[in-house]
Amino acid sequence: MDEELNTTYVTLDGYIEVNKYRYVYFCIIFTLYIIIICSNSTIMYVIWIHKNLHEPMYIFIAALLLNCLLYSTTIYPKLLIDFLSEKQVVSYSACLFQFFIFYTLGSSEFFLLAAMAYDRYVAICKPLEYPTIMNKTTVSIFLVVSWLIPAFHIAVQAIGSAEATLCNFNLKGIFCNNAVYTLQCVRSRLIIVFGVVALIDLIILPLLFIVFTYTNIFIISYQSCKEVRKKAAETCLPHLLVLISISCLSIYDVSIARVESDFPKTARLLMTLQIVLYHPLFNPFIYGLKMKEISKQLKRFFCHARIITCINYEC
C-alpha cells in the first residue's frame, strides 16, 4: 500500500485467523444480526400497533430498541463484509463516521435511560401530576435531546480527529471505537479537553441523575403500600438491568482502548465482541420478559401468528 493510500486507509488488525474461519465467523455474526433485528423489531412493532402501549414509558422503550437496531447496523454489516474480504481495511473517513454513529447511539442510551428514570419517578411519586408532566411535548423534547446532545459532543471529537495527522495505520480492533486515537501522531488539546467534557456530560451526569432518581423512587416506595412497591419493582427493575449492562460495556470499551499493545489479541477480540453482542441481544429479552404488558401482548402476537400459520398450512 503506497504512501497516498496509507494516508487514506486503515487496516483493522483485530481479527484472528479470519482467512481460516471466515465462513464460520460470517455465519455466526449473520445469525446473531438476524436475531437482533427480529427481536428488537418485533417488540417495536407490538408497541406501535397496540394503543394501550402508547404511553411515555413504552415510547422510551421503543426508542431504546431502535437505538440498539441502529447501533448494530453500524457494526454488523461491515463485520460481515470484512469476513469475506481478503483484506480488512476501511477508509479513515468511513472509520470516523462509524466512530461518530457508534458513540452517538451509545451515549444516547444513557439519556434515554435517564428519561425513563424521570418517567418512573413522576408515575410513582407524583401519580396525579403524571398526565400533565409527561405529555407528548415533554416526551418529544426528551427524545430529541437524547439524540442531539450526544451527536453534538461526538461530532466535535470526530471533526478534531479528521484534522489530526496519522502516524499509525493499523487499528487494533475490528471496528472503529476510541482506539482511533492510537492512530494519531499527537492527540490535540481539543480532543483531550472535549473528551473529558463528553465523558461528564454524556455518561457521568446522566448516571448521577438516574441513581438519584431511583434512590428517591425506592425510598418513597418503601414508605408506601405494597401495591406501590410492586409497581416500582416491576417497572424499574428492567431499566436498572439495562443500565448495568450498558455501564459495564462502556467500561469495557474504555478499557480496550487503554490496554497495552501487548494485551493478548484473543482476549481483546473477545472483549470487543461482547460490546457489540450482549447489549443489542440483552435489551429485547429483558423488556420482552420482564415488562408485564409487553410480555402479554407478545404472547398474543405469537399466538395469533401461529393460528394464521396453521390455517394457511391446512388450506
Side-chain angles (χ1 to χ4, degrees), residues 47-306:
I47 293 172
W48 180 55
I49 63 173
H50 291 94
K51 290 187 178 180
N52 64 316
L53 297 181
H54 292 182
E55 298 177 5
M57 179 175 68
Y58 300 112
I59 292 172
F60 290 134
I61 289 174
L64 197 67
L65 297 178
L66 175 62
N67 226 42
C68 286
L69 206 55
L70 296 174
Y71 173 92
S72 301
T73 302
T74 304
I75 306 298
Y76 281 73
K78 180 65 171 93
L79 288 180
L80 295 173
I81 292 170
D82 285 341
F83 291 143
L84 300 180
S85 303
E86 290 300 319
K87 294 182 179 179
Q88 291 71 45
V89 296
V90 61
S91 68
Y92 187 56
S93 58
C95 186
L96 290 179
F97 181 73
Q98 187 181 55
F99 168 91
F100 168 74
I101 299 296
F102 177 75
Y103 284 109
T104 296
L105 295 174
S107 302
S108 67
E109 298 226 356
F110 286 98
F111 279 81
L112 288 171
L113 288 169
M116 289 178 178
Y118 181 73
D119 172 74
R120 290 300 83 204
Y121 171 77
V122 177
I124 294 169
C125 304
K126 300 180 179 180
L128 297 178
E129 300 175 44
Y130 183 80
T132 304
I133 297 174
M134 296 304 296
N135 53 41
K136 287 184 179 180
T137 303
T138 304
V139 172
S140 299
I141 291 171
F142 278 146
L143 291 175
V144 171
V145 167
S146 295
W147 280 306
L148 281 187
I149 290 181
F152 170 74
H153 281 74
I154 305 303
V156 173
Q157 292 175 282
I159 292 170
S161 296
E163 299 297 324
T165 303
L166 304 184
C167 288
N168 178 23
F169 301 97
N170 288 313
L171 183 73
K172 294 184 181 299
I174 59 176
F175 66 91
C176 299
N177 57 1
N178 58 19
V180 297
Y181 296 135
T182 63
L183 303 176
Q184 300 167 10
C185 299
V186 179
R187 195 183 304 185
S188 70
R189 184 170 297 179
L190 172 68
I191 293 176
I192 295 172
V193 172
F194 218 84
V196 175
V197 172
L199 178 66
I200 295 171
D201 289 350
L202 304 181
I203 297 179
I204 295 177
L205 290 180
L207 267 177
L208 290 175
F209 176 80
I210 292 168
V211 171
F212 173 77
T213 304
Y214 280 121
T215 300
N216 281 337
I217 290 174
F218 291 135
I219 290 172
I220 293 172
S221 300
Y222 181 77
Q223 297 171 346
S224 303
C225 63
K226 184 179 179 181
E227 190 65 27
V228 174
R229 289 197 296 271
K230 183 181 178 182
K231 180 182 178 182
E234 286 179 352
T235 59
C236 295
L237 181 60
H239 303 328
L240 288 173
L241 291 174
V242 171
L243 176 64
I244 293 169
S245 170
I246 187 65
S247 298
C248 291
L249 294 179
S250 298
I251 294 171
Y252 255 5
D253 181 65
V254 173
S255 301
I256 289 169
R258 297 294 184 269
V259 292
E260 298 297 327
S261 59
D262 60 352
F263 193 76
K265 197 172 181 179
T266 303
R268 185 189 293 271
L269 176 63
L270 291 174
M271 289 176 70
T272 305
L273 285 174
Q274 289 182 67
I275 293 173
V276 297
L277 289 179
Y278 284 173
H279 196 56
L281 286 170
F282 186 70
N283 282 6
F285 286 103
I286 284 295
Y287 288 121
L289 296 174
K290 292 293 183 182
M291 298 299 289
K292 187 177 179 181
E293 197 61 34
I294 293 179
S295 180
K296 184 172 69 175
Q297 296 296 347
L298 279 174
K299 288 176 183 177
R300 289 180 181 176
F301 174 77
F302 285 118
C303 285
H304 181 67
R306 187 177 176 183

Side-chain angles (χ1 to χ4, degrees), residues 8-64:
T8 307
Y9 286 88
V10 173
T11 300
L12 300 172
D13 195 32
Y15 294 95
I16 299 175
E17 296 191 52
V18 68
N19 292 326
K20 185 178 180 180
Y21 299 112
R22 68 171 73 249
Y23 297 111
V24 175
Y25 289 152
F26 182 89
C27 291
I28 292 173
I29 295 300
F30 181 75
T31 302
L32 290 171
Y33 186 41
I34 295 300
I35 293 172
I36 289 170
I37 292 174
C38 293
S39 57
N40 285 279
S41 298
T42 300
I43 297 178
M44 287 166 57
Y45 178 71
V46 166
I47 293 172
W48 180 55
I49 63 173
H50 291 94
K51 290 187 178 180
N52 64 316
L53 297 181
H54 292 182
E55 298 177 5
M57 179 175 68
Y58 300 112
I59 292 172
F60 290 134
I61 289 174
L64 197 67

